[in-house]
Short mmCIF file of all heavy atoms in Angstrom, two decimals:
data_model
loop_
_atom_site.label_atom_id
_atom_site.label_comp_id
_atom_site.label_asym_id
_atom_site.label_seq_id
_atom_site.Cartn_x
_atom_site.Cartn_y
_atom_site.Cartn_z
N SER M 98 -5.18 -7.12 25.86
CA SER M 98 -3.85 -6.56 26.09
C SER M 98 -3.06 -7.53 26.97
O SER M 98 -3.64 -8.43 27.58
CB SER M 98 -3.93 -5.20 26.79
OG SER M 98 -4.60 -4.26 25.96
N ASN M 99 -1.77 -7.31 27.01
CA ASN M 99 -0.94 -8.13 27.90
C ASN M 99 -0.61 -7.39 29.18
O ASN M 99 -0.62 -6.15 29.22
CB ASN M 99 0.35 -8.55 27.20
CG ASN M 99 1.24 -7.36 26.87
OD1 ASN M 99 0.87 -6.52 26.06
ND2 ASN M 99 2.40 -7.29 27.50
N ARG M 100 -0.34 -8.13 30.22
CA ARG M 100 0.19 -7.57 31.46
C ARG M 100 1.72 -7.63 31.41
O ARG M 100 2.29 -8.48 30.76
CB ARG M 100 -0.28 -8.37 32.67
CG ARG M 100 -1.77 -8.28 32.98
CD ARG M 100 -2.07 -9.05 34.27
NE ARG M 100 -3.43 -8.83 34.73
CZ ARG M 100 -4.44 -9.66 34.52
NH1 ARG M 100 -4.25 -10.77 33.82
NH2 ARG M 100 -5.65 -9.39 34.98
N LYS M 101 2.34 -6.71 32.12
CA LYS M 101 3.79 -6.76 32.23
C LYS M 101 4.24 -7.89 33.15
O LYS M 101 5.31 -8.45 32.99
CB LYS M 101 4.33 -5.43 32.76
CG LYS M 101 4.24 -4.28 31.76
CD LYS M 101 5.19 -4.46 30.60
CE LYS M 101 5.23 -3.22 29.72
NZ LYS M 101 6.17 -3.35 28.59
N GLU M 102 3.37 -8.19 34.15
CA GLU M 102 3.66 -9.30 35.06
C GLU M 102 2.47 -10.25 35.04
O GLU M 102 1.32 -9.82 35.02
CB GLU M 102 3.90 -8.80 36.49
CG GLU M 102 5.04 -7.80 36.65
CD GLU M 102 4.61 -6.39 36.33
OE1 GLU M 102 3.39 -6.10 36.38
OE2 GLU M 102 5.49 -5.57 36.00
N ILE M 103 2.75 -11.54 35.08
CA ILE M 103 1.68 -12.54 35.08
C ILE M 103 0.95 -12.51 36.42
O ILE M 103 1.56 -12.53 37.48
CB ILE M 103 2.25 -13.95 34.82
CG1 ILE M 103 2.89 -14.00 33.43
CG2 ILE M 103 1.16 -15.00 34.94
CD1 ILE M 103 3.58 -15.32 33.13
N LYS M 104 -0.38 -12.46 36.36
CA LYS M 104 -1.20 -12.47 37.57
C LYS M 104 -1.54 -13.91 37.91
O LYS M 104 -1.97 -14.69 37.05
CB LYS M 104 -2.48 -11.66 37.33
CG LYS M 104 -3.34 -11.48 38.57
CD LYS M 104 -4.56 -10.61 38.24
CE LYS M 104 -5.46 -10.43 39.45
NZ LYS M 104 -6.67 -9.64 39.13
N ASP M 105 -1.36 -14.30 39.20
CA ASP M 105 -1.54 -15.71 39.58
C ASP M 105 -2.79 -15.96 40.42
O ASP M 105 -2.95 -17.01 41.02
CB ASP M 105 -0.31 -16.22 40.34
CG ASP M 105 -0.03 -15.42 41.62
OD1 ASP M 105 -0.84 -14.53 41.95
OD2 ASP M 105 0.99 -15.70 42.27
N HIS M 106 -3.72 -14.98 40.48
CA HIS M 106 -4.96 -15.18 41.23
C HIS M 106 -6.08 -14.41 40.54
O HIS M 106 -5.84 -13.53 39.73
CB HIS M 106 -4.80 -14.67 42.67
CG HIS M 106 -4.48 -13.20 42.76
ND1 HIS M 106 -3.22 -12.71 42.54
CD2 HIS M 106 -5.28 -12.13 43.00
CE1 HIS M 106 -3.24 -11.39 42.68
NE2 HIS M 106 -4.47 -11.01 42.94
N GLY M 107 -7.33 -14.75 40.89
CA GLY M 107 -8.48 -14.07 40.29
C GLY M 107 -8.48 -14.25 38.78
O GLY M 107 -8.47 -15.37 38.27
N ASP M 108 -8.50 -13.13 38.08
CA ASP M 108 -8.42 -13.15 36.62
C ASP M 108 -6.96 -13.40 36.23
O ASP M 108 -6.24 -12.50 35.80
CB ASP M 108 -8.92 -11.81 36.06
CG ASP M 108 -8.93 -11.79 34.54
OD1 ASP M 108 -8.92 -12.87 33.92
OD2 ASP M 108 -8.94 -10.68 33.97
N ALA M 109 -6.53 -14.64 36.41
CA ALA M 109 -5.12 -14.98 36.31
C ALA M 109 -4.63 -14.98 34.87
O ALA M 109 -5.41 -15.03 33.92
CB ALA M 109 -4.87 -16.34 36.95
N GLY M 110 -3.31 -14.92 34.74
CA GLY M 110 -2.69 -15.01 33.43
C GLY M 110 -1.99 -13.74 33.02
O GLY M 110 -1.87 -12.80 33.79
N ILE M 111 -1.56 -13.70 31.77
CA ILE M 111 -0.79 -12.56 31.29
C ILE M 111 -1.64 -11.60 30.47
O ILE M 111 -1.19 -10.53 30.08
CB ILE M 111 0.41 -13.06 30.45
CG1 ILE M 111 1.46 -11.95 30.31
CG2 ILE M 111 -0.05 -13.58 29.07
CD1 ILE M 111 2.78 -12.40 29.75
N LEU M 112 -2.91 -11.96 30.22
CA LEU M 112 -3.77 -11.14 29.37
C LEU M 112 -4.81 -10.36 30.17
O LEU M 112 -5.32 -10.82 31.19
CB LEU M 112 -4.48 -12.00 28.33
CG LEU M 112 -3.60 -12.75 27.33
CD1 LEU M 112 -4.48 -13.52 26.36
CD2 LEU M 112 -2.68 -11.80 26.58
N LEU M 113 -5.15 -9.18 29.65
CA LEU M 113 -6.28 -8.38 30.11
C LEU M 113 -7.36 -8.42 29.04
O LEU M 113 -7.07 -8.59 27.86
CB LEU M 113 -5.86 -6.93 30.31
CG LEU M 113 -4.92 -6.58 31.46
CD1 LEU M 113 -4.45 -5.14 31.29
CD2 LEU M 113 -5.62 -6.73 32.79
N LYS M 116 -10.22 -13.19 26.39
CA LYS M 116 -9.37 -14.34 26.17
C LYS M 116 -9.25 -14.56 24.66
O LYS M 116 -10.12 -14.20 23.88
CB LYS M 116 -9.95 -15.59 26.83
CG LYS M 116 -10.16 -15.45 28.34
CD LYS M 116 -8.85 -15.18 29.05
CE LYS M 116 -9.06 -15.09 30.57
NZ LYS M 116 -7.81 -14.69 31.27
N GLN M 146 -0.53 -17.70 23.33
CA GLN M 146 -1.80 -17.89 24.00
C GLN M 146 -2.72 -18.86 23.25
O GLN M 146 -3.43 -19.65 23.85
CB GLN M 146 -2.52 -16.54 24.18
CG GLN M 146 -1.70 -15.51 24.93
CD GLN M 146 -1.16 -16.04 26.24
OE1 GLN M 146 -1.90 -16.52 27.10
NE2 GLN M 146 0.16 -15.94 26.42
#
Side-chain angles (χ1 to χ4, degrees):
S98 297
N99 64 295
R100 292 184 171 99
K101 289 291 188 179
E102 302 83 22
I103 297 175
K104 186 178 179 183
D105 60 4
H106 61 281
D108 183 19
I111 198 168
L112 298 181
L113 291 169
K116 302 300 181 186
Q146 304 309 305

